[in-house]
Amino acid sequence: MTSSILPDSRLSILPAAVSLLLEQIVQQTYPASALYVVATPIGNVGDISLRALHVLGKVDAIACEDTRNTVHLLTRYGLSKPLLAAHQHNERQIAEQIIVRLQKGERIALVSDAGTPAISDPGARIVDAVRNAGLRVIPLPGACAAITAISASGLLNDQFYFVGFLPNKTQQRNTLLASLRSIAATLVFYEAPQRIAACIESLVGIFEGERQIVIAREVSKLFEEIHRCSLSKAASWLDHHAHSEKGEFVVLLEGAPNFTDTHADEVEAKRVLNILLAACSVKQAASLAAEITGQKKNALYAMALKMKTQNTD
Ligand code: SAM
């Protein structure tokens, strides 16, 4: 026996596991008249599920963002299928064609160029139309750059806020970013290589420098890099790393530090005061509301007074 994990053992172990799984997958049900939303790899050709491969081989046609990319992908897996070009400019029309075909009992798959359709990619309009037509939509989970980057970030926050691509124009980008300053969840951005430096510059100008940032580049590919540092050091990291402005990026930014959700506090205070004011004076209502909500009595008194006046006007 050899302890090598190279070709021999690979060839003996993997096919057995794969054929066992394939047997189960082939026996599962694949309803007709359904749209299959299939995630494809974000770089590494191995990151596709066996179920996805089976469905891509079984469907009558594949609606895809760019037929050249999908032909290339299918060829790598030894597959060939009729393709329907479904990009952001023709989603509505193609949705109608897909619905007609589904109503005839066909199975159609929807893929994007990479990752999960409808995540910063076309697909949502087609899914919406198919659902509205009362037809079934079956998702096949798989790679998504945002989720993959979060999983390797080590940022200790269960919540994230997916922003996706930022506007190209500096002013629009900064306005959008400023509106995200108080969000406590991790912020998730997609960025293209030619804009990564401008994106970091905008982040540095708007958010606290001590927030952690994760720059995930070329995830699952040969030159994968997942760098984490404080925001104040991010620009210099980009400057000092050859190749750091090449490839595809997910940028994660730690949520607002010690953030209290003032809007949620206000809504809760109003709800409590509303009940109390029906039975108590302004002073009593403010005092009880302070005990119930833990908010400041003076602020609650001012709010109660305003509510009372508005109600009596
Ligand atoms: N639908 C895809 C998904 O599920 O993630 C996203 C498609 S969007 C058009 C493409 C963007 O996703 C890229 O510009 C980049 O921001 C991000 N992305 C895709 N693949 C990536 C990878 N391998 N590494 C880092 N970011 C990636």
Side-chain angles (χ1 to χ4, degrees):
M1 274 289 278
T2 166
S3 60
S4 160
I5 53 157
L6 286 171
D8 285 348
S9 57
R10 268 207 317 245
L11 288 173
S12 60
I13 296 168
L14 206 52
V18 170
S19 50
L20 200 70
L21 261 176
L22 270 177
E23 244 172 70
Q24 294 174 21
I25 288 164
V26 169
Q27 281 165 19
Q28 290 171 359
T29 47
Y30 298 89
S33 296
L35 177 74
Y36 291 82
V37 182
V38 182
T40 57
I42 53 167
N44 192 315
V45 74
D47 294 335
I48 190 156
S49 74
L50 289 179
R51 185 167 162 241
L53 287 177
H54 180 61
V55 163
L56 291 176
K58 191 175 178 74
V59 291
D60 298 287
I62 301 174
C64 57
E65 192 181 353
D66 183 327
T67 51
R68 288 162 306 178
N69 288 341
T70 301
V71 165
H72 183 63
L73 184 81
L74 293 177
T75 308
R76 296 194 82 163
Y77 301 121
L79 296 168
S80 162
K81 278 285 151 181
L83 301 179
L84 307 166
H87 42 78
Q88 59 177 2
H89 305 296
N90 74 345
E91 267 194 82
R92 292 243 181 256
Q93 298 94 291
I94 212 73
E96 284 166 25
Q97 288 180 35
I98 290 174
I99 289 167
V100 171
R101 294 181 69 156
L102 294 177
Q103 282 165 339
K104 287 185 187 151
E106 290 192 8
R107 295 175 182 86
I108 306 236
L110 171 69
V111 300
S112 62
D113 280 350
T116 303
I119 307 298
S120 289
D121 261 344
R125 285 192 180 85
I126 292 174
V127 171
D128 179 50
V130 169
R131 293 178 66 87
N132 287 339
L135 293 156
R136 190 155 170 199
V137 175
I138 301 177
L140 274 78
C144 172
I147 301 297
T148 311
I150 292 168
S151 74
S153 72
L155 291 174
L156 305 178
N157 191 340
D158 288 339
Q159 299 179 3
F160 63 88
Y161 183 108
F162 181 69
V163 184
F165 288 106
L166 288 166
N168 289 346
K169 294 203 170 126
T170 311
Q171 200 177 339
Q172 285 171 10
R173 184 167 63 241
N174 290 348
T175 306
L176 173 64
L177 288 174
S179 74
L180 305 172
R181 270 183 58 98
S182 59
I183 290 177
T186 299
L187 301 175
V188 184
F189 306 99
Y190 277 173
E191 201 46 275
Q194 67 275 17
R195 287 198 301 267
I196 186 71
C199 164
I200 300 294
E201 194 183 317
S202 288
L203 294 177
V204 169
I206 286 166
F207 296 92
E208 300 83 350
E210 60 275 15
R211 288 200 199 194
Q212 291 284 292
I213 186 170
V214 176
I215 302 175
R217 184 176 85 89
E218 295 288 84
V219 174
S220 81
K221 301 187 198 174
L222 189 59
F223 296 107
E224 175 183 276
E225 245 176 325
I226 302 178
H227 180 74
R228 179 170 150 180
C229 61
S230 59
L231 178 57
S232 56
K233 299 202 172 115
S236 116
W237 181 80
L238 262 192
D239 279 352
H240 290 94
H241 281 73
H243 309 306
S244 63
E245 291 188 29
K246 293 197 179 117
E248 299 187 280
F249 294 85
V250 179
V251 176
L252 308 176
L253 185 68
E254 189 183 7
N258 302 322
F259 174 69
T260 52
D261 189 341
T262 48
H263 177 67
D265 283 355
E266 194 180 319
V267 170
E268 176 63 357
K270 277 197 178 138
R271 188 186 71 80
V272 171
L273 283 173
N274 208 22
I275 298 167
L276 294 170
L277 282 172
C280 313
S281 70
V282 168
K283 197 170 165 204
Q284 282 170 325
S287 163
L288 286 170
E291 271 183 53
I292 294 167
T293 63
Q295 296 180 36
K296 294 219 168 75
K297 206 189 323 187
N298 287 352
L300 289 166
Y301 181 83
M303 193 186 278
L305 200 60
K306 200 167 159 196
M307 285 168 72
K308 189 91 183 170
T309 335
Q310 276 166 355
N311 284 346
T312 50
D313 279 350

